[in-house]
Amino acid sequence: MELSAVTLNGFTYVVALIGGLIWLGLSWKKKKKPYLPPGPPGWPLVGNVLELRGWKQSFQQYVHKLHKLYGPIITLRLGSRPLIIVASHEFAYEALIHKGSIFADRPAVKGGRKLFTHNQTSINSAAYGPFWRTLRRNLVSETLSASSLKSFRKGREWGIEVLMNRLRNEAEQGSGLVKLIDHLRHAAFCTLLYMCFGARLEEKIVRDVECIQRDVILRAGKTQADDIFPVLGFVFRKRWKRLQGMRQRQMEILGELINRRRAVLAEGMAGECRAYIDTLLCLTVEGGRGLNDAELVTLCSEFLNAGTDTTSTTLQWAMANLVKDEGVQSRLYEEIVNVVGKERAVEEEDVSRMVYLEALVKETLRRHPPGHLVLMHAVTEASTVGGYDVPANAMINFSVREMGNDPRVWENPNEFRPDRFLCDDVDLTGIREIKLMPFGVGRRICPGIGLAMMHVQLVVARLVQKFVWESKPGEPVDLAEVEEFTVVMKNPLHAVMKQRD
Ligand code: HEM
């Protein structure tokens, strides 16, 4: 997800080379050469980093080409460290399930991301160990368990209400024409904000939080040259200053919401749901201490950002395919009418009885996973995958997109056919076998999988129950991709929505 954003202009190219030399000089040790998976030769000292400069496409497209050339497991070199990328279902299963504990760590975070993960105290960036385990267990059991999710129903309803109002307003101004992505993102954000802080917040505050979180995701979520070669930090002083300002603003805005909630809790007025922040405020971590303010802000920020773009991107892709294929849309509407009818709105409990809806969302995640790779994993001890050596200092990632498109597993993989999931109950957690892994699998699997599936299915069902969706006249849906924080539609979906009778 993140690597494609490495930006090297001519100047940084030279500095990267010098940085690489210094870095290698410091870390060079003579070792027996391991039998690594194949890959492009790269440059001495800096490995393949300089090749990235020539990318005309995204990092994922580059990886796709390398898989075609070298096979389902490849090695790249970032500075002195090997990065192994796995596109085979079997090898991914071997690494993430059979040898799960060896491949569950995260690499050290450097540069801007260090600031926003507050030295790796967010769940996604934390090293595999007791601190990570406490935070993750808290999130899963206190906020994302099936029973906790039920208590946030009002938050989801708020999100959908906001979505419908915004869509109707835009449609009224443009004879039914709407651009969906901004509204889908805003609705997902409202739902997560409610779960995080336990209340519907005023519009102005929602806007402020959304704005800073968007900045963080787009500017600080990207890996830059100084993240790979920390010695280059001095070159990027300006960027660093900007990021510090952004972090301060984030601390103020989210800090204010945390303090508000503290006051509400102190008065015993928490209301009917136990918000994520409530669980964090009474959590004890390693050393018997509570979390400090910077850690609280980091964890709330992660909660908001991890779920917003991923779910809204998935929703946009699902709606794009529904607009593109009238047959699929009619089939879904038929299921909605059979299970729920036309009068009553689809509720969360109905979703589990809609097999075609689930198949449609799984097919969306197969064809258009929001991340073509998962987050970077680090290897804690020397091991093997697919018969190749994986050294202890290596990083490893998994080509989600390649696996979802593998013709050995998926018949006509380029076709969008939800039906394929009707006769094959594919388990997204990959415990039995891995067929596709848009949420990752194993110890680092996305803890938001249940919430995300529920949110996406409910929103798609509501949108199709209320409206017929058609493409903008003279402008067929374009499924071209571009990479932002997630892989989004290059030309965002504009569609005409018509109220059903
Ligand atoms: C369609 C929606 C989503 C997709 C496709 C998705 C995908 C992923 C992926 C691929 C990972 C990395 C797995 C790995 O490194 O092996 C991940 C991690 C994570 N996700 Fe999600 N995610 C989604 C929604 C959510 C939501 C709604 C939340 C919570 C509110 C969430 C919270 C997290 C967290 C905290 C991690 C880090 C887990 C760890 O490192 O232990 N995600 N997600």
Side-chain angles (χ1 to χ4, degrees):
M1 251 188 262
E2 32 188 75
L3 270 170
S4 60
V6 174
T7 49
L8 294 175
N9 56 30
F11 173 61
T12 52
Y13 178 82
V14 174
V15 186
L17 193 62
I18 297 165
L21 281 165
I22 298 169
W23 178 250
L24 199 92
L26 295 174
S27 62
W28 182 260
K29 284 183 201 150
K30 276 195 177 160
K31 283 183 196 156
K32 182 181 150 262
K33 254 191 147 184
Y35 176 53
L36 293 175
W43 290 65
L45 312 178
V46 287
N48 303 104
V49 169
L50 301 178
E51 287 161 31
L52 309 181
R53 182 177 174 257
W55 292 353
K56 293 278 182 287
Q57 300 153 322
S58 72
F59 179 69
Q60 280 117 1
Q61 283 162 325
Y62 174 64
V63 168
H64 174 70
K65 280 188 183 157
L66 294 181
H67 279 307
K68 281 201 151 169
L69 268 174
Y70 296 102
I73 177 164
I74 57 171
T75 308
L76 285 172
R77 281 193 171 275
L78 298 182
S80 64
R81 251 182 128 171
L83 162 60
I84 289 163
I85 304 183
V86 177
S88 136
H89 304 80
E90 295 84 3
F91 296 169
Y93 194 84
E94 179 187 349
L96 293 171
I97 304 289
H98 279 158
K99 300 175 181 169
S101 62
I102 299 175
F103 295 97
D105 205 9
R106 298 283 190 216
V109 164
K110 300 177 188 108
R113 286 196 65 230
K114 194 166 174 176
L115 200 60
F116 289 91
T117 63
H118 190 60
N119 296 321
Q120 298 188 246
T121 52
S122 60
I123 301 172
N124 77 82
S125 65
Y128 181 60
F131 183 73
W132 165 80
R133 206 165 284 118
T134 306
L135 292 177
R136 185 171 164 119
R137 194 179 301 133
N138 175 66
L139 172 63
V140 170
S141 61
E142 300 295 325
T143 307
L144 298 176
S145 68
S147 60
S148 315
L149 283 183
K150 275 194 188 141
S151 72
F152 295 119
R153 178 190 287 262
K154 276 195 182 159
R156 280 186 294 280
E157 285 304 329
W158 177 34
I160 292 178
E161 183 189 311
V162 168
L163 173 66
M164 293 297 190
N165 288 341
R166 288 176 61 142
L167 283 173
R168 283 203 182 94
N169 282 345
E170 192 182 335
E172 274 166 21
Q173 286 159 27
S175 8
L177 187 66
V178 290
K179 178 182 169 203
L180 274 104
I181 186 62
D182 299 339
H183 307 310
L184 294 171
R185 190 186 297 121
H186 184 72
F189 191 76
C190 287
T191 300
L192 289 165
L193 210 48
Y194 183 97
M195 293 178 71
C196 194
F197 295 107
R200 287 171 76 137
L201 302 172
E202 306 92 273
E203 215 180 308
K204 154 102 178 59
I205 295 179
V206 176
R207 261 205 316 273
D208 287 352
V209 187
E210 198 174 9
C211 182
I212 182 70
Q213 289 303 110
R214 192 101 199 109
D215 268 4
V216 169
I217 229 174
L218 293 179
R219 289 175 203 216
K222 296 179 171 184
T223 303
Q224 302 283 342
D226 57 334
D227 298 339
I228 300 173
F229 301 111
V231 288
L232 297 181
F234 71 94
V235 182
F236 294 93
R237 260 172 316 184
K238 257 196 186 157
R239 181 174 92 95
W240 184 248
K241 273 227 137 42
R242 247 198 338 265
L243 292 181
Q244 278 177 321
M246 214 192 285
R247 172 64 176 176
Q248 190 162 350
R249 227 171 48 249
Q250 186 190 44
M251 284 291 297
E252 283 162 16
I253 293 174
L254 289 182
E256 161 74 22
L257 289 180
I258 293 170
N259 286 337
R260 267 207 207 179
R261 188 67 185 173
R262 273 194 180 113
V264 167
L265 292 176
E267 285 167 22
M269 307 279 281
E272 57 218 48
C273 70
R274 188 155 182 256
Y276 182 45
I277 185 64
D278 305 356
T279 71
L280 294 175
L281 285 170
C282 58
L283 190 67
T284 306
V285 291
E286 263 182 311
R289 67 174 182 92
L291 295 165
N292 61 39
D293 279 2
E295 289 166 338
L296 291 172
V297 166
T298 302
L299 289 161
C300 290
S301 163
E302 168 185 56
F303 184 83
L304 298 172
N305 279 1
T308 301
D309 277 44
T310 45
T311 43
S312 52
T313 300
T314 307
L315 275 164
Q316 182 180 222
W317 284 118
M319 292 307 293
N321 281 287
L322 285 171
V323 172
K324 205 170 172 61
D325 191 331
E326 213 179 293
V328 173
Q329 191 177 156
S330 311
R331 187 109 177 257
L332 177 61
Y333 182 62
E334 221 171 86
E335 178 173 77
I336 294 170
V337 173
N338 285 339
V339 175
V340 180
K342 294 183 181 176
E343 303 305 322
R344 175 172 76 74
V346 178
E347 296 296 342
E348 295 176 6
E349 296 73 24
D350 303 316
V351 161
S352 59
R353 290 183 289 140
M354 295 188 180
V355 287
Y356 192 71
L357 174 64
E358 185 183 340
L360 172 98
V361 174
K362 283 183 172 170
E363 179 68 344
T364 303
L365 288 163
R366 183 190 71 78
R367 282 294 289 136
H368 312 283
H372 287 191
L373 297 164
V374 301
L375 300 179
M376 200 64 81
H377 289 229
V379 183
T380 45
E381 61 183 81
S383 184
T384 55
V385 174
Y388 292 102
D389 286 335
V390 179
N393 73 331
M395 296 188 283
I396 188 162
N397 210 315
F398 300 85
S399 287
V400 174
R401 174 59 181 272
E402 299 292 320
M403 291 185 217
N405 261 355
D406 185 345
R408 289 181 310 139
V409 178
W410 306 102
E411 202 185 310
N412 301 324
N414 290 329
E415 287 176 15
F416 186 88
R417 271 202 294 120
D419 282 74
R420 65 175 91 235
F421 286 96
L422 291 179
C423 35
D424 187 355
D425 181 24
V426 175
D427 166 30
L428 294 184
T429 66
I431 292 170
R432 280 180 274 123
E433 62 169 341
I434 296 175
K435 279 195 156 180
L436 79 158
M437 45 177 281
F439 295 96
V441 302
R443 287 156 210 241
R444 288 286 185 163
I445 189 174
C446 174
I449 181 170
L451 169 62
M453 287 299 284
M454 160 66 79
H455 181 84
V456 173
Q457 289 177 88
L458 186 63
V459 172
V460 169
R462 288 273 182 99
L463 290 177
V464 171
Q465 186 183 33
K466 271 259 170 287
F467 306 102
V468 180
W469 294 87
E470 289 168 6
S471 56
K472 185 176 170 186
E475 219 177 89
V477 176
D478 176 5
L479 296 179
E481 299 169 340
V482 70
E483 203 201 332
E484 282 183 359
F485 175 66
T486 52
V487 180
V488 296
M489 293 180 72
K490 188 170 173 192
N491 297 306
L493 178 65
H494 286 82
V496 177
M497 54 184 250
K498 292 185 180 157
Q499 183 93 26
R500 290 192 193 268
D501 313 321

